[in-house]
């Protein structure tokens, strides 16, 4: 799928980073955290992956609750019995779809961001690519997990639990990246990492809502600029330059600390 972001190889594969521990222990993320050269998977596995990638896009547009074996069979021009061979029930299909969406998110957002230098470059890459994957329609309907969160927030069950686990894991990754930026002295040492990660998360989710529901086409670029401005207000002089992506691409130096801001 086309994207203005170029996927880079992970250059820090030997570092004992919390990110790799998260990717290895989060169900559905481990396979995407490893290289997938040439997709040399057994035929049955390739077929299942192709089915699930279609299911992810369908669910991102029409909702997970509307994702049934019958609806997916119509979309794929397959028989229901053929799909039942892969998924025994609607819930099995939904859970497998959530797991595939996690793998795709890792593939396009998390794994490339981990190739950036530790500290603020990695934190910014996570934020930038999160917004970028919505802009470039990695999922046909926008951010799969933001939409699924709104859809299932009041529906207890296995599918909701899988969505909660995915979203909480993502929030944990953001929090860890802020903590890492503190360790590299790129950001103020007294910053509450969990609070700052929550701020970033909230701005991005709000931007997705405005972009999709209110049709505000500049919502994501505004969120990108707002997140960058917030990061800049907390950065120290050790923080390297960052870059706004897309049409607004330009080097942004964070060494010019606003008056009154602590230098950390």
């Amino acid at each position: 799928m086309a994207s203005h972001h170029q996927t880079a190889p992970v250059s820090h594969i030997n570092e004992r980073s919390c990110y790799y521990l998260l990717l290895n222990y989060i169900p559905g993320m481990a396979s995407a955290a490893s290289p997938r050269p040439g997709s040399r998977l057994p035929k049955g596995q390739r077929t299942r992956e192709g089915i699930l990638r279609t299911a992810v896009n369908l669910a991102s547009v029409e909702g997970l609750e509307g994702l049934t074996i019958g609806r997916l069979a119509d979309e794929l021009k397959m028989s229901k019995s053929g799909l039942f061979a892969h998924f025994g029930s609607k819930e099995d299909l939904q859970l497998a779809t959530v797991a595939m969406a996690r793998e795709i998110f890792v593939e396009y957002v998390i794994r490339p961001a981990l190739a950036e230098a530790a500290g603020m470059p990695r934190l910014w890459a996570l934020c930038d690519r999160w917004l970028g994957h919505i802009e470039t329609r990695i999922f046909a309907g926008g951010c799969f997990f933001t939409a699924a969160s709104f859809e299932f927030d009041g529906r207890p069950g296995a599918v909701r639990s899988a969505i909660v686990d995915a979203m909480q894991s993502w929030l944990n990754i953001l929090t860890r990246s802020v903590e890492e930026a503190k360790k590299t002295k790129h950001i103020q040492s007294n910053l509450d990492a969990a609070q700052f990660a929550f701020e970033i998360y909230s701005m991005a989710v709000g931007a997705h809502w405005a972009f999709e529901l209110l049709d505000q086409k500049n919502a994501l670029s505004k969120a990108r600029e707002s997140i960058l401005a917030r990061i800049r207000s907390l950065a120290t002089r050790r923080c390297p330059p960052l870059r706004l992506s897309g049409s607004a691409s330009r080097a942004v130096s964070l060494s010019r600390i606003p008056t009154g801001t602590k230098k950390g």
Side-chain angles (χ1 to χ4, degrees), residues 30-42 46 49 53 107 111:
S31 61
S34 304
R36 299 167 63 184
S39 241
R40 300 201 169 197
L41 301 172
R46 290 200 310 271
E49 180 170 320
R53 286 181 179 265
E107 181 181 351
R111 189 155 60 116

Side-chain angles (χ1 to χ4, degrees), residues 1 56-57 60 101 104-105 133 137-145:
M1 188 173 294
V56 165
N57 276 328
S60 75
I104 294 170
F105 189 80
H133 98 282
R137 293 295 180 183
I138 297 303
F139 299 113
C143 180
F144 178 95
F145 287 103

Side-chain angles (χ1 to χ4, degrees), residues 22-64:
L22 278 168
L23 295 183
N24 286 334
Y25 288 102
I26 294 172
M29 283 192 172
S31 61
S34 304
R36 299 167 63 184
S39 241
R40 300 201 169 197
L41 301 172
K43 183 178 179 182
Q45 196 171 340
R46 290 200 310 271
T47 300
R48 178 183 170 88
E49 180 170 320
I51 290 170
L52 285 173
R53 286 181 179 265
T54 298
V56 165
N57 276 328
L58 191 61
S60 75
V61 174
E62 299 182 6
L64 263 173

Side-chain angles (χ1 to χ4, degrees), residues 218-240:
N218 63 343
L220 298 174
S221 60
K222 286 168 67 176
R224 183 179 277 107
E225 291 173 5
S226 295
I227 291 170
L228 184 58
R230 181 71 175 121
I231 288 174
R232 183 178 182 184
S233 73
L234 297 168
T236 70
R237 295 190 183 280
R238 295 190 183 187
C239 183

Side-chain angles (χ1 to χ4, degrees), residues 67-83:
L67 182 65
T68 64
I69 288 176
R71 176 68 185 91
L72 186 57
D74 289 342
E75 184 72 17
L76 292 167
K77 304 296 189 289
M78 288 179 63
S79 67
K80 290 184 182 180
S81 60
L83 284 180

Side-chain angles (χ1 to χ4, degrees), residues 1 30 56 76-77 83 93 97 114 118-119 136 142 151 187 190 199 202 218 236 246 263:
M1 188 173 294
V56 165
L76 292 167
K77 304 296 189 289
L83 284 180
L93 173 60
T97 299
L114 297 186
T136 55
E151 185 182 1
I187 203 165
N190 62 347
E199 288 180 36
S202 299
N218 63 343
T236 70
K263 297 179 181 179

Side-chain angles (χ1 to χ4, degrees), residues 197-209:
F198 183 78
E199 288 180 36
I200 293 171
Y201 179 92
S202 299
M203 282 192 277
V205 170
H208 181 271
W209 168 77

